[in-house]
Amino acid sequence: NCVTLSTTGIKSAIEEQLSKMAEVLNATLKKSASSHLGKINTFLDEATASMDTQYDRLDDLTKASVAHAKLHEQRPTYEQEFYHFNAKNTLLQSMTGSSGIASRETKARWDAFIERLTSYEKEMEAQLDQMKQTVGTACENFFKDLEKFTAQWHELKPKEAGYQGNA
């Protein structure tokens, strides 16, 4: 009067489901971490392009200053993205036993961006000084040309002759 149940089939089905769930979890985790890294890379591309621009007008320099302030505002958001990426990448590494998602290049770019962001004001001052120098040189050249023209005018201008008309 004994009943023997074999749970081998159920056990293997559960293990297979757990294995599939682990694969999906790993893929989702990898996709999510990659998404964070992608956002950071996009931000770095835009920020670097903005900071690499050389300006030759004061208007542009003012716009650059506004863009610089905006980058400072956005920095904490992307630091948070880095935090989330690192947490997910560490979890992915521990779950898969792999090296996770390569982020050295992005980390190096981020460090260079932060360094450049702190020295950006000095760069702007240097560009402003360069603009001042360019304008100063242009003014000097203009005044030299004006002096030459004035000297030439005084030399070649028509002499005033007494005007005698019908009186």
Side-chain angles (χ1 to χ4, degrees):
N1 293 350
C2 215
V3 177
T4 306
L5 291 174
S6 176
T7 59
T8 309
I10 294 173
K11 180 182 177 189
S12 65
I14 291 173
E15 286 176 348
E16 184 180 329
Q17 290 296 321
L18 286 175
S19 174
K20 287 181 182 179
M21 286 176 60
E23 288 174 13
V24 169
L25 179 61
N26 288 339
T28 304
L29 193 56
K30 186 173 185 174
K31 183 178 178 182
S32 180
S34 294
S35 171
H36 287 294
L37 197 61
K39 287 178 186 176
I40 295 166
N41 281 323
T42 301
F43 170 74
L44 287 174
D45 291 340
E46 293 170 1
T48 302
S50 171
M51 292 171 67
D52 284 345
T53 306
Q54 290 291 324
Y55 301 102
D56 56 354
R57 293 183 9 208
L58 194 56
D59 251 7
D60 296 336
L61 205 57
T62 303
K63 290 176 186 173
S65 181
V66 170
H68 178 256
K70 188 176 178 182
L71 291 176
H72 265 292
E73 279 180 22
Q74 292 175 329
R75 179 180 168 183
T77 302
Y78 288 95
E79 286 175 340
Q80 193 71 13
E81 287 285 333
F82 246 117
Y83 172 79
H84 290 300
F85 166 75
N86 284 328
K88 290 176 182 178
N89 200 30
T90 302
L91 182 58
L92 183 64
Q93 289 171 350
S94 69
M95 288 177 65
T96 61
S98 68
S99 61
I101 300 171
S103 61
R104 275 196 185 124
E105 182 182 325
T106 303
K107 180 66 174 150
R109 287 180 63 207
W110 178 261
D111 291 341
F113 164 73
I114 295 300
E115 196 174 298
R116 184 131 181 244
L117 195 60
T118 57
S119 67
Y120 194 64
E121 288 181 24
K122 292 177 185 174
E123 286 181 36
M124 288 293 106
E125 286 176 18
Q127 286 190 17
L128 184 60
D129 289 342
Q130 184 179 5
M131 280 185 212
K132 287 178 182 178
Q133 186 178 17
T134 303
V135 169
T137 303
C139 285
E140 287 176 15
N141 290 339
F142 173 77
F143 286 121
K144 285 179 186 176
D145 290 344
L146 182 63
E147 285 177 21
K148 288 178 187 176
F149 177 79
T150 304
Q152 191 176 21
W153 171 254
H154 286 299
E155 185 179 311
L156 299 175
K157 75 178 178 180
K159 305 292 180 207
E160 287 187 34
Y163 179 77
Q164 293 183 1
N166 293 339

